[in-house]
Amino acid sequence: MREKIRAATQLTASAGIAPNKMLAKICSDMNKPNGQYFLESTREAVLRFIHGLSVRKVSGIGKVSAAVLHRLGVQTCHHLYQQRVLLSLLFSEKSFNFFLRVYRSLSVYLLLCLSAHLSVC
């Protein structure tokens, strides 16, 4: 796919290949420019990826929110869950619910099932 884009437009393209669309989108930013990142469809690989994923990589968490979260010791998406009590006290209900949705939407699929199909962004 990346080669077809290059041939047709003379532009580079990065790709993310992962078990779901949200993870594929995040993976597409991993090896820029003109790179590709493959996240295996195993529970262990996805958990390892989520545990180490910076909150700043998540769409909807900007520079200001990330800076506040970092000052609270929240560096990764896994920390969002670990620090949920503190976050519930310091942030609005809307923001707190967003942080929980971020963590759960990245990991909930692990609890449901691992499908063989891959998403590409």
Side-chain angles (χ1 to χ4, degrees):
M1 180 178 3
R2 290 177 31 243
E3 289 300 320
K4 288 180 182 180
I5 293 169
R6 176 79 170 192
T9 66
Q10 300 302 309
L11 298 173
T12 62
S14 297
I17 305 161
N20 66 37
K21 187 175 180 178
M22 179 182 276
L23 289 170
K25 171 68 175 123
I26 293 168
C27 288
S28 72
D29 287 333
M30 299 301 280
N31 288 329
K32 286 192 177 236
N34 201 33
Q36 153 175 323
Y37 188 91
F38 175 75
L39 178 59
E40 292 182 42
S41 289
T42 65
R43 182 178 191 278
E44 295 79 20
V46 175
L47 281 173
R48 197 168 39 251
F49 184 78
I50 291 169
H51 272 36
L53 185 65
S54 169
V55 292
R56 186 63 181 100
K57 296 282 186 182
V58 176
S59 178
I61 298 180
K63 291 178 185 177
V64 174
S65 294
V68 171
L69 289 169
H70 286 170
R71 284 193 296 273
L72 296 172
V74 178
Q75 305 281 332
T76 68
C77 291
H78 183 66
H79 294 147
L80 288 172
Y81 184 74
Q82 287 181 324
Q83 298 291 341
R84 65 191 179 278
V85 173
L86 178 63
L87 297 177
S88 72
L89 296 172
L90 297 177
F91 286 89
S92 69
E93 183 178 356
K94 183 177 179 179
S95 293
F96 172 69
N97 287 331
F98 171 75
F99 295 145
L100 283 186
R101 278 196 315 276
V102 165
Y103 177 78
R104 288 190 2 235
S105 65
L106 290 174
S107 63
V108 73
Y109 116 101
L110 296 170
L111 302 174
L112 299 173
C113 69
L114 281 171
S115 67
H117 107 105
L118 298 173
S119 296
V120 179
C121 281

